[in-house]
Amino acid sequence: MNIQSSGLNLLRATVKAGDKLDQLHTATQGFEAIFLKRMLSAMHSESSEALFGKSAGSDTYKDMFNDAIANAAAKRSQLGIGKVLFDSASTRVISEALQAEPRLLSVKDSKQQ
């Protein structure tokens, strides 16, 4: 198999794995958001009274604030956790798609037929 057909196999496998890669991206981004939200919640557990007050709904506002900040930061991959997880897992998803994909004939083999 030549380099050109290997590249074509990789491209076909990546296209075939597209939906799984989209799901993986969403999951890893969500993981980063959850991580950031927990970190923000720990930071704001004692010091947020000046920002949110002591009203009955202050905990709800604080939670919504932390959620919005965490989701915005995760979408931009501020910490890079989601990106590292995606890069690590996407190679496996593409590898599995490559194994399931039948090999293309090389240019040399197709000319002989």
Side-chain angles (χ1 to χ4, degrees):
M1 182 177 294
N2 64 25
I3 294 174
Q4 185 178 11
S5 62
S6 296
L8 191 53
N9 280 340
L10 180 61
L11 180 62
R12 287 179 65 193
T14 303
V15 169
K16 185 176 180 180
D19 290 340
K20 288 184 180 182
L21 290 173
D22 288 342
Q23 291 172 352
L24 178 64
H25 183 263
T26 302
T28 56
Q29 186 177 354
F31 178 83
E32 184 167 351
I34 290 169
F35 180 83
L36 284 168
K37 184 178 177 184
R38 294 192 126 221
M39 192 169 72
L40 289 168
S41 294
M43 284 175 26
H44 291 145
S45 64
E46 301 295 326
S47 64
S48 63
E49 191 174 301
L51 184 60
F52 298 105
K54 284 188 171 183
S55 69
S58 64
D59 285 341
T60 302
Y61 289 127
K62 182 171 47 174
D63 188 56
M64 290 169 58
F65 176 79
N66 289 339
D67 196 39
I69 296 295
N71 285 329
K75 282 184 182 177
R76 291 181 181 88
S77 194
Q78 293 294 103
L79 295 181
I81 295 170
K83 182 176 178 354
V84 169
L85 290 172
F86 179 80
D87 290 347
S88 176
S90 64
T91 56
R92 182 174 179 176
V93 170
I94 293 171
S95 175
E96 289 172 359
L98 266 173
Q99 290 174 357
E101 184 70 28
R103 301 289 181 212
L104 294 176
L105 294 173
S106 69
V107 175
K108 182 180 176 183
D109 293 339
S110 64
K111 288 180 182 178
Q112 292 176 353
Q113 292 182 351

